[in-house]
Amino acid sequence: MSNNIFKTKGFWLSVAVCLLPALLSLAFYDKMPDTVVTHWNFKNEPDGYSPKWVAVFLIPSVLFAANILIWFALNAEPKKRGINRHIKGVVLWTLPVLSVIVQCMIIMFSVKGINLVRFVPLIIGIMFVVIGNYLPKCRQNFTMGIKLPWTLASEENWNRTHRLAGKLWIIGGFIMSLYAIFEMHTVFFIIVIIMMIIIPSIYSYAMYRKGI
């Protein structure tokens, strides 16, 4: 990544993608009701509503600002070489793509009554599979990865923890993807996410206690 993100084509492309949801909403603005669904529960049922202007302007603006913040954070990382470029690419493009997906879901439901929320776990699952595949190649840094006091203090602890986490994230991501296809209990989905976080953390601490 260039030291000046304003000279980076990828940055401006991500900005353009983040602005696309607002343009899509403006195109369908007259067809959208005054109050639209902006949140769904784990059963894919609408449970949150907002004024139309919130869906059209506020939500895209929040994701737009978050995207810029992520670009600046990664650009300011002291150990840039430690960040795997594939993971960096996934992280940098997650919010721009997510902003388009979220806006399409809101528009399709408010205008056509089509519910696309059930596909969100599939997208999240694929993202975890991709990141899990490259996680073991991510070296010590302060921005990405499992940043615990003992992983940041020991390179060997970091590497072992991320090798285990990579395998767990691939398995967990695959299970999440199945959630979008089969009728699975919400609690099971939550447990998978928790285990993907807790197991590597416990493993890392156990190594720390052994002096690794």
Side-chain angles (χ1 to χ4, degrees):
M1 185 187 298
S2 170
N3 289 330
N4 187 348
I5 63 173
F6 296 111
K7 296 181 180 179
T8 306
K9 293 180 180 179
F11 170 74
W12 291 110
L13 183 58
S14 73
V15 167
V17 174
C18 281
L19 291 175
L20 183 59
L23 297 177
L24 289 173
S25 296
L26 288 174
F28 289 93
Y29 191 84
D30 293 336
K31 298 180 181 180
M32 297 171 67
D34 293 334
T35 302
V36 299
V37 178
T38 53
H39 190 272
W40 288 260
N41 59 29
F42 277 101
K43 295 181 180 179
N44 300 328
E45 300 169 342
D47 67 347
Y49 300 83
S50 302
K52 180 165 54 174
W53 69 268
V54 171
V56 174
F57 299 109
L58 184 58
I59 294 178
S61 297
V62 170
L63 293 175
F64 174 81
N67 174 62
I68 293 179
L69 181 62
I70 290 175
W71 273 86
F72 273 100
L74 290 178
N75 189 64
E77 166 61 48
K79 296 183 178 182
K80 291 185 177 68
R81 293 182 179 180
I83 302 177
N84 181 270
R85 63 186 182 90
H86 298 288
I87 297 179
K88 181 172 68 177
V90 172
V91 172
L92 288 176
W93 281 100
T94 292
L95 277 181
V97 173
L98 182 63
S99 65
V100 175
I101 293 174
V102 168
Q103 208 66 11
C104 286
M105 289 192 304
I106 293 174
I107 293 173
M108 290 299 289
F109 191 83
S110 61
V111 177
K112 299 292 185 179
I114 300 175
N115 193 340
L116 301 175
V117 178
R118 65 170 298 177
F119 296 105
V120 172
L122 176 62
I123 298 170
I124 295 175
I126 293 174
M127 180 185 71
F128 274 115
V129 169
V130 173
I131 293 178
N133 184 56
Y134 293 107
L135 200 57
K137 302 175 183 178
C138 188
R139 300 303 174 225
Q140 279 183 316
N141 68 89
F142 300 106
T143 308
M144 285 186 193
I146 303 172
K147 301 180 296 297
L148 299 170
W150 36 90
T151 57
L152 292 174
S154 168
E155 185 174 357
E156 184 177 0
N157 190 308
W158 173 284
N159 293 336
R160 289 191 184 185
T161 299
H162 284 71
R163 280 198 294 269
L164 173 64
K167 296 176 182 178
L168 291 174
W169 284 33
I170 291 175
I171 296 172
F174 178 73
I175 294 174
M176 288 181 192
S177 299
L178 295 179
Y179 185 87
I181 302 173
F182 302 101
E183 292 291 335
M184 300 173 66
H185 200 283
T186 302
V187 174
F188 183 71
F189 183 83
I190 296 176
I191 290 176
V192 171
I193 296 178
I194 293 176
M195 296 304 289
M196 290 167 60
I197 299 172
I198 295 298
I199 292 178
S201 299
I202 294 176
Y203 175 72
S204 178
Y205 181 72
M207 286 192 295
Y208 164 73
R209 296 289 294 178
K210 293 180 179 179
I212 300 177

